[in-house]
Amino acid sequence: MKKLLFTALLALPLTLFVPAAAQAQKKTTAKATVQRDQLLEGKKVYSKFCASCHQLDGGGVPNLNPPLSKTIYVLGDKNRLIKIILNGSNESLEIDGETYSNPMPQLDILKDQEIADVLTYVRNSFGNKAGAITASEVKAQRTKKK
Ligand code: HEC
């Protein structure tokens, strides 16, 4: 009985930590699933920083800027995709038999969260369906780069 009381007393201050724990839990789920907020924020970043070249519908511009629908870069390895944003790309990429000769500028001025949002948006727009990208995944690539 004494033990029970002790446990009850112990549990009281613990409840104060529950909101923090719930928050942490939320973060972990955000890793796996695509959150609506992330798509909304990502769309804003996309319109501002990507649409001028890749177009609002992700269709790109023939021979200049590649499309973003169902390419191996968008749907494939997350780290490679993150690096395209952080470092830019000047590889004359070939997509669906067309080469795109424009260079893509590096956009490392964007924050980790902004890059995570925009890439999650791209990976879930224009006919794409792929997992979310988190700010910590972006951060890991940025740290590697330095
Ligand atoms: C100044 C024009 C420009 C801007 C702005 C730009 N890109 Fe690009 N992007 C390009 C070009 C050109 C390539 C091809 C580069 C190459 O051939 O190496 C490319 C390649 C890519 C690729 C890999 C190829 C593909 O089609 O899958 C992705 C993904 C991508 N860009 C995403 C983005 C995102 C997301 C943004 C905004 C955060 C962005 N780009 C902003 C021009 C641009």
Side-chain angles (χ1 to χ4, degrees), residues 42 45-54 58 60-61 63-75 80-82 84-85 88-95 99-107 110 114-115 118-122 126:
V45 179
Y46 185 84
S47 325
K48 224 168 156 184
F49 292 96
C50 321
S52 53
C53 293
H54 293 285
V61 179
N63 300 312
L64 295 176
N65 309 313
L68 298 178
S69 59
K70 298 182 182 161
T71 74
I72 52 163
Y73 301 96
V74 170
L75 297 177
R80 176 176 59 191
L81 179 58
I82 293 168
I84 290 178
I85 309 301
S89 177
N90 195 1
E91 312 264 308
S92 291
L93 296 181
E94 194 187 315
I95 291 164
T99 39
Y100 296 89
S101 47
N102 262 1
M104 171 160 155
Q106 62 182 89
L107 288 166
L110 294 172
E114 289 174 320
I115 293 178
V118 76
L119 290 180
T120 300
Y121 169 73
V122 166
F126 325 133

